[in-house]
Amino acid sequence: MAPTLLLAALLASPPTAPTISGPTIASDSVVTAVVPAAPGLALPARPGVARYQPRHLLLQTGGGVGMLSVGGGLSFARRRLDLDALLGYVPARHAGTALTIASAKVKYAPWQLPLGGSGLAFTPLAVGVYGSYTFGLRNTGEEGQYPDDYYWWSRTMRVGPLLGSSLSYTLPDAPSGRARRLTAYYELATNDLYGLSYYLNRRALSLSDIATLALGLKLEI
Amino acid sequence: MPPFFSSSFLRNALVGALATGLSACELVEFSPNDHRARADQKDLTAKNLAHLTAAPLSPGDTLRFVFAGDSQRFYDDAQDLVRSVNQQPGIQFMLISGDISDFGLGREMRWIDNELRKMKVPYLTVIGNHDHVANGREAYQEIFGPLNYSFVYADTKFVLIDTNSREYNFNGRVPDVPWLRGQLADLNGASRSVVISHVPPQDGDFDPNLRDAYAGTLRETSSLVFEMNGHRHDYGVGQPFNDGVTYVNSYAFEKRKYLIVTVFGDKQFRIKQVSF
């Protein structure tokens, strides 16, 4: 279901320019062309370009992608599918050198349960994957330092699965009419190297040994 | 009811994570290269040395220790090794010839310590090339301690030295031969010496420009019982430079074997292989 909706959303909104039919409109005029929305999608009738502006801002700690990470993201499929990008920082005292970590994640949360009329909603499960690239590591190999394939894994790139849940609080609508929420979330994740270590040592290691925890806030704008 | 199943699953996962004693601090990992650790998993070299020297060998007892290496990514094997070592009578400590971790990550070093701290005897390590990867050097220093160090036990000076030259891109300063020379020139009252490093000097990962100086230093040390290495994952004992200096290589944990080394007399030794 989710990939179909994502595809529909993408088809409905080409990234370059809105689909405009009828008489030619001057480039500086206000574009009000109606984008055909996919059935079942509650997307506002706005130029496609706007859909690629971040729809939410993120502030996070942990999860292997920064002591402090900030970012933004897009939502698709009635805000069940999030595509996020974060930039994180780890000071040298915690990692030997100061690290900057760029990460991206895709998260899918199929259920949102309103909690009475309190304005709160609980999202019991989100699943996703993330990838990260770390800048600033000390020893990642210089030209000619190692023979080919001396170390088979990347020192800078990590990928891993994640799962989590969240609690949202409804805020006043944005001027555009979009519903806004402030969401507190956690994510349990791991990475490829921890996952491999666990897979090869299921007696000595447990899932909790390889788990990382991220805590974050998401503000829809 | 998928939502309820999911939330109870999550709750179990969280409870499980917390029940094993992981502090939230360690769980909220900033990066895999984040080397923060619980206080009792920092400075392990100093802690284990204090443990060792608190129980000096009584006169008449024989120096006997376990020699193993390359624990990297072999945690199930580490569990079995600990069980086996705990049944060995008359041993005083264990030496690990480097590559504690596989990917140079602090969490890997702590996982190995989680197993090895269950031993009845303390263990001491020297840094391996895998422990240098990415920011592993800093993680090793935080969790274990100095890259070059020495201690005296049972009339023997043990000198542990970083020989992972390739990790410094052969900068000509690793191993620190002048430091080694100084350590062996003054045995702090001991009569025998043992040198332990990860990469053996005859290996391609050892700085070729320092090979002669290193091997020469050992050759000139009359108190030297032998030099001990890891890196090759397999047992070996020999004199690669045909100069009277014996080099002993350890089994990796994955080989499910370790050595029990007994040193006696002037500088005589006996090596026993144990399978586990």
Side-chain angles (χ1 to χ4, degrees):
Chain A
M1 186 69 173
T4 317
L5 288 175
L6 175 58
L7 187 61
L10 288 171
L11 287 174
S13 56
T16 46
T19 308
I20 300 165
S21 54
T24 307
I25 301 169
S27 60
D28 59 348
S29 65
V30 178
V31 176
T32 54
V34 174
V35 176
L41 280 180
L43 297 170
R46 293 175 58 185
V49 172
R51 199 152 297 140
Y52 291 88
Q53 290 171 352
R55 286 297 172 88
H56 52 257
L57 301 175
L58 298 163
L59 183 69
Q60 181 182 307
T61 182
V65 296
M67 180 167 122
L68 189 70
S69 313
V70 292
L74 303 170
S75 285
F76 302 97
R78 290 182 180 171
R79 307 191 191 192
R80 287 180 180 135
L81 184 73
D82 279 6
L83 197 57
D84 299 333
L86 290 149
L87 202 58
Y89 179 73
V90 185
R93 71 178 183 278
H94 296 318
T97 56
L99 306 177
T100 305
I101 305 172
S103 64
K105 66 187 170 199
V106 185
K107 254 167 95 168
Y108 179 65
W111 306 289
Q112 290 173 10
L113 312 174
L115 300 179
S118 60
L120 288 170
F122 178 54
T123 302
L125 177 72
V127 293
V129 292
Y130 77 98
S132 69
Y133 187 95
T134 303
F135 300 89
L137 290 169
R138 185 186 40 70
N139 183 17
T140 55
E142 294 168 17
E143 186 73 30
Q145 183 175 348
Y146 301 106
D148 288 347
D149 300 323
Y150 191 82
Y151 296 126
W152 58 264
W153 66 96
S154 167
R155 276 78 104 199
T156 50
M157 274 185 283
R158 295 277 67 82
V159 293
L162 60 87
L163 60 83
S165 55
S166 61
L167 194 63
S168 300
Y169 180 69
T170 305
L171 299 174
D173 287 354
S176 63
R178 266 174 58 85
R180 295 162 72 234
R181 290 170 303 179
L182 177 65
T183 302
Y185 64 87
Y186 75 85
E187 291 166 1
L188 289 168
T190 190
N191 65 51
D192 49 338
L193 300 183
Y194 291 172
L196 178 75
S197 301
Y198 171 71
Y199 176 74
L200 297 172
N201 298 277
R202 274 173 286 184
R203 188 155 45 88
L205 297 182
S206 64
L207 282 176
S208 61
D209 285 321
I210 64 163
T212 66
L213 177 66
L215 300 171
L217 289 173
K218 168 183 164 187
L219 175 67
E220 284 162 300
I221 52 175
Chain B
M1 294 294 283
F4 294 110
F5 165 76
S6 311
S7 55
S8 69
F9 171 77
L10 280 174
R11 200 178 315 120
N12 289 341
L14 263 180
V15 167
L18 297 172
T20 55
L22 269 183
S23 71
C25 179
E26 283 171 68
L27 205 54
V28 182
E29 185 175 88
F30 301 156
S31 153
N33 306 102
D34 168 355
H35 61 215
R36 289 173 303 148
R38 294 197 313 255
D40 68 335
Q41 284 194 311
K42 281 186 204 171
D43 298 319
L44 289 172
T45 300
K47 287 180 175 127
N48 284 331
L49 273 179
H51 185 181
L52 178 68
T53 50
L57 199 61
S58 6
D61 276 358
T62 311
L63 171 61
R64 187 172 293 124
F65 58 93
V66 172
F67 183 46
D70 301 77
S71 53
Q72 53 188 98
R73 211 214 300 157
F74 309 128
Y75 308 100
D76 282 356
D77 297 329
Q79 216 171 46
D80 297 337
L81 180 141
V82 167
R83 201 166 296 135
S84 173
V85 168
N86 276 346
Q87 288 164 7
Q88 297 295 343
I91 54 163
Q92 291 107 35
F93 60 97
M94 176 157 87
L95 283 180
I96 302 183
S97 58
D99 280 0
I100 317 306
S101 67
D102 200 18
F103 310 116
L105 305 176
R107 212 185 262 221
E108 294 181 282
M109 297 175 195
R110 292 192 277 110
W111 287 339
I112 284 293
D113 178 63
N114 287 345
E115 301 305 330
L116 299 189
R117 65 169 47 232
K118 293 172 190 158
M119 288 195 304
K120 292 176 187 164
V121 294
Y123 70 97
L124 293 154
T125 62
V126 68
I127 191 167
N129 59 298
H130 281 253
D131 305 314
H132 276 284
V133 170
N135 284 16
R137 190 178 306 158
E138 288 80 357
Y140 181 91
Q141 288 171 305
E142 183 81 5
I143 293 165
F144 291 101
L147 308 183
N148 297 330
Y149 68 99
S150 65
F151 65 93
V152 172
Y153 184 80
D155 197 28
T156 310
K157 183 166 184 179
F158 291 84
V159 182
L160 298 95
I161 180 167
D162 180 0
T163 56
N164 306 290
S165 319
R166 188 181 292 283
E167 300 305 317
Y168 298 84
N169 206 2
F170 302 112
N171 67 5
R173 299 193 297 275
V174 176
D176 187 342
V177 178
W179 179 84
L180 177 66
R181 214 170 272 144
Q183 289 294 317
L184 293 174
D186 177 7
L187 297 185
N188 306 89
S191 63
R192 299 177 293 221
S193 59
V194 169
V195 174
I196 302 106
S197 77
H198 180 66
V199 174
Q202 69 273 30
D203 193 278
D205 295 328
F206 193 102
D207 194 331
N209 296 324
L210 295 173
R211 188 170 293 144
D212 289 348
Y214 184 88
T217 301
L218 301 185
R219 190 181 310 127
E220 290 155 15
T221 305
S222 58
S223 63
L224 187 76
V225 181
F226 40 49
E227 206 268 13
M228 313 188 91
N229 304 110
H231 197 48
R232 303 195 150 184
H233 286 218
D234 222 337
Y235 174 60
V237 56
Q239 300 192 355
F241 299 101
N242 297 313
D243 58 357
V245 178
T246 302
Y247 291 76
V248 183
N249 207 96
S250 57
Y251 284 113
F253 278 35
E254 59 167 339
K255 294 287 162 71
R256 300 187 63 83
K257 286 182 186 174
Y258 60 84
L259 306 177
I260 294 182
V261 182
T262 308
V263 179
F264 56 98
D266 186 12
K267 47 180 197 175
Q268 292 159 281
F269 64 90
R270 209 165 42 228
I271 295 176
K272 182 180 159 194
Q273 301 186 40
V274 179
S275 299
F276 63 88

